Amino acid sequence: MLYGKALRDEIASAGTTPLIGVYDMYSASLAAAHYDGLFVSGFGFAASYYGLPDIGFIAWPDMVAFAERLRGAFPRHHLLVDIDDGYVDAELACHVVRRLERSGISGVVLEDQKRPRRCGHTEGKQVLPLEEYLAKLNQVLESRTDLLVVARTDATDDEEIMHRASALAATDADVVLVDGVRSVEAIRRIRGVIGNKPLLFNQIAGGKSPRLSLSELAALGVDVAIYSTPCLFAAHRAMEEAMAELKATDGRLPSVDGSSRAGAGAAVGAGEVTAMLTENLRRHSTR
């Protein structure tokens, strides 16, 4: 299957394509039951895998291994992976891209940030000289065959944002992302300068960008939207509440029906796995 082509075709269809941010296999199981596209964000992966902020701690083998596990578990879903700045140098970025493409990943996001990097919705971001980033981006584009590539800029000055968005749109990158867009008007301006190139919008709760529905994004000419943190933030809130309740009741578990346990089992395919094991045992016992 050509996963990159499949995602390109989906993005080219009418409306705005949603890709839901996941941070581990369990969150991916839940998101995959509701949406056809998943996104691995650096924010969520750094928090869940390392317990650290998204400021450049991610090691590329860890991200590749996680992406490979996701593809094995969800062979029919679109899967976009955040590879930050390509892990510093262009040669390594190309190696990672080739590994991910061989693993069946649909696409990657490559940013123009300078180290030490920051989450796209925080202050203090610095960007590489445009020519340096374009050289890295073009090497990555030449190293892929089918993989979709999102060219991302983290510029914060309005004039520089438009200049870089236009430059990224002129490359062979499949999609352009300006992270940390602060207004609907800015989205319209970016849409205007990148021509027919598909536009991606990053939605993160509590971030700098406006909260918009898929219908509103489609009306603005946005082709694809990534939702970086809904699973992570929901889990954080639920676990905080559960721990506070457990502590307040002197360690007594709350009274719940069996649906919670059954739901958790269903999310990880407990029924299918049990049925498979039962069938295997039956076959062996009849030999």
Side-chain angles (χ1 to χ4, degrees):
M1 178 176 178
L2 296 176
Y3 285 103
K5 181 181 184 301
L7 182 53
R8 285 187 195 88
D9 291 345
E10 178 66 28
I11 290 172
S13 64
T16 301
T17 299
L19 301 175
I20 306 302
V22 300
Y23 62 89
D24 65 1
M25 298 302 293
Y26 190 71
S27 64
S29 296
L30 295 173
H34 296 274
Y35 289 90
D36 295 330
L38 306 176
F39 171 60
V40 182
S41 77
F43 188 107
F45 188 73
S48 64
Y49 196 82
Y50 302 103
L52 292 170
D54 183 24
I55 56 175
F57 290 112
I58 296 173
W60 71 265
D62 294 336
M63 180 60 87
V64 169
F66 178 47
E68 289 173 342
R69 291 199 303 275
L70 283 171
R71 176 47 78 211
F74 308 102
R76 291 180 293 277
H77 282 69
H78 304 299
L79 184 53
L80 182 68
V81 176
D82 181 3
I83 61 169
D84 294 339
D85 58 355
Y87 309 101
V88 184
D89 64 77
E91 289 72 22
L92 183 50
C94 292
H95 172 71
V96 171
V97 161
R98 288 190 291 266
R99 280 282 301 269
L100 291 172
E101 183 166 32
R102 287 197 299 270
S103 301
I105 305 309
S106 308
V108 298
V109 180
L110 180 71
E111 69 189 33
D112 63 357
Q113 278 202 57
K114 183 187 295 185
R115 297 263 169 160
R117 67 172 307 283
R118 297 284 185 269
C119 168
H121 286 249
T122 59
E123 301 295 336
K125 297 188 298 180
Q126 300 181 69
V127 292
L128 295 167
L130 180 57
E131 292 307 314
E132 183 178 340
Y133 172 69
L134 289 176
K136 182 192 295 186
L137 174 63
N138 285 322
Q139 279 187 249
V140 164
L141 292 170
E142 290 171 5
S143 72
R144 60 90 187 254
T145 53
D146 171 63
L147 191 83
L148 177 141
V149 175
V150 178
R152 162 180 158 177
T153 181
D154 281 86
T156 55
D157 175 77
D158 287 345
E159 185 176 342
E160 184 66 10
I161 286 172
M162 299 306 157
H163 175 60
R164 290 195 176 226
S166 177
L168 301 190
T171 71
D172 289 331
D174 301 281
V175 180
V176 169
L177 161 62
V178 177
D179 210 12
V181 177
R182 295 173 182 265
S183 68
V184 168
E185 181 54 37
I187 297 173
R188 291 194 180 99
R189 292 179 61 207
I190 294 164
R191 176 72 274 172
V193 302
I194 68 172
N196 294 324
K197 186 74 73 172
L199 175 63
L200 186 152
F201 180 71
N202 181 16
Q203 300 224 76
I204 179 168
K208 297 182 179 300
S209 300
R211 294 183 300 115
L212 300 168
S213 69
L214 289 172
S215 298
E216 290 169 325
L217 289 171
L220 290 168
V222 173
D223 302 278
V224 55
I226 51 177
Y227 292 77
S228 294
T229 58
C231 293
L232 179 68
F233 288 0
H236 175 91
R237 182 172 61 253
M239 285 188 282
E240 281 279 9
E241 292 173 356
M243 293 302 99
E245 181 179 357
L246 191 64
K247 191 172 184 179
T249 59
D250 192 30
R252 187 185 302 279
L253 288 172
S255 175
V256 296
D257 58 30
S259 62
S260 295
R261 183 176 182 278
V268 294
E272 293 86 345
V273 173
T274 300
M276 179 185 68
L277 293 175
T278 301
E279 177 62 17
N280 286 343
L281 287 171
R282 186 192 65 78
R283 288 178 180 176
H284 282 293
S285 66
T286 56
R287 287 181 179 178

